[in-house]
Amino acid sequence: MLNFSKTFNKYEALVAQTDKLFSNIQDAYKDCVRCKIYCCDCCYAVFDLTLIEAVYINYHFQKSLSKTDQRQVLARAEKADRRFYQIKHRLQKMYLRQGMSSEEVLLHLARERAACPLLNSDNLCDLYKWRPITCRLYGIPTSIGGVAHICEKSGFKEGTAYPTVNLDNVNARLFELSKELLREIGSKEEKTHMRLVPVSTALLTDYNREYFGI
């Protein structure tokens, strides 16, 4: 089994920083941050994971869930994967054929809704402790590619200035960690560190030696 421990430790340090950011904004804007148990609005957002996040969540999926729970999640992942790629294929055609800018594509993507395969029938995340950074920041103001985003269920108002997390900076660090992960295991697949996949694909993928070209 491949050992990702060094890079995982660095990723977990970034997660801790992210959680601290969320906590600080939550403390400062208690009436605006309305995240609570069973609220799963973020679980229907469509987004991709960087390599480090994908490998990390796959690792804990394999390690932390029973075989029965894994089978249930994988069944949902197969359905979600088809849905996600339909969405991305449609947006790609809009980008190529209609001349949409990348910012416009991001806006369209933000409006898409599809259930995460880790969302169970109790409206809880099966891997909440190891959820991706996008999930951890969803309830506070963020921006990516110059486009601001606020959770519709929050109390934050458009047009009002708030502390905002720049996801471009977060993603830059995630790409760096993805590159470090490849170096840690001795992979020659250098371009793999830029690969982005939805949660469903991350769960369905076997991140073994063959995948990394070792």
Side-chain angles (χ1 to χ4, degrees):
M1 186 174 182
L2 295 172
N3 186 350
F4 306 106
S5 58
K6 289 183 180 179
T7 315
F8 278 2
N9 288 339
K10 293 180 181 179
Y11 171 71
E12 287 170 350
L14 178 62
V15 167
Q17 293 173 11
T18 299
D19 287 345
K20 182 63 175 176
L21 277 174
F22 184 95
S23 180
N24 289 343
I25 294 177
Q26 186 177 42
D27 289 343
Y29 297 90
K30 290 183 172 64
D31 293 336
C32 295
V33 180
R34 297 173 180 172
C35 300
K36 58 184 178 181
I37 192 169
Y38 303 122
C39 178
C40 55
D41 187 68
C42 57
C43 303
Y44 287 84
V46 177
F47 63 92
D48 282 328
L49 303 179
T50 56
L51 178 66
I52 178 64
E53 294 176 290
V55 175
Y56 185 82
I57 203 165
N58 181 283
Y59 172 83
H60 286 289
F61 169 71
Q62 301 289 344
K63 181 180 178 182
S64 304
L65 296 187
S66 68
K67 293 299 181 182
T68 298
D69 288 341
Q70 286 183 26
R71 285 193 292 270
Q72 292 175 351
V73 170
L74 290 176
R76 298 196 297 265
E78 289 177 353
K79 293 180 181 179
D81 216 44
R82 290 192 292 271
R83 168 69 174 149
F84 289 147
Y85 278 99
Q86 286 171 356
I87 291 171
K88 292 172 77 172
H89 181 66
R90 175 161 46 82
L91 290 177
Q92 185 180 37
K93 287 198 297 185
M94 293 170 67
Y95 176 76
L96 294 174
R97 296 180 182 178
Q98 299 179 22
M100 292 175 59
S101 66
S102 56
E103 290 78 12
E104 289 173 316
V105 172
L106 286 172
L107 285 173
H108 277 276
L109 187 61
R111 299 189 190 107
E112 296 288 349
R113 311 297 285 167
C116 175
L118 292 171
L119 181 66
N120 62 33
S121 58
D122 295 321
N123 276 348
L124 296 172
C125 176
D126 281 330
L127 287 178
Y128 182 80
K129 182 178 179 181
W130 302 284
R131 67 199 185 281
I133 285 179
T134 295
C135 308
R136 295 172 183 273
L137 293 173
Y138 192 84
I140 62 176
T142 59
S143 68
I144 185 167
V147 179
H149 176 268
I150 54 174
C151 172
E152 293 182 356
K153 293 185 178 296
S154 75
F156 295 105
K157 306 297 182 183
E158 290 188 12
T160 303
Y162 300 104
T164 301
V165 179
N166 187 335
L167 292 180
D168 291 321
N169 294 336
V170 175
N171 286 334
R173 179 56 179 154
L174 289 170
F175 283 126
E176 288 176 4
L177 289 174
S178 297
K179 188 179 292 186
E180 288 185 31
L181 181 143
L182 294 174
R183 287 199 296 265
E184 180 180 4
I185 61 176
S187 173
K188 304 299 183 183
E189 300 289 338
E190 296 181 0
K191 294 183 179 180
T192 305
H193 83 280
M194 295 297 292
R195 189 171 295 168
L196 297 170
V197 298
V199 173
S200 54
T201 302
L203 296 171
L204 292 165
T205 300
D206 187 357
Y207 291 104
N208 55 18
R209 290 180 176 275
E210 182 180 359
Y211 179 89
F212 289 108
I214 300 174

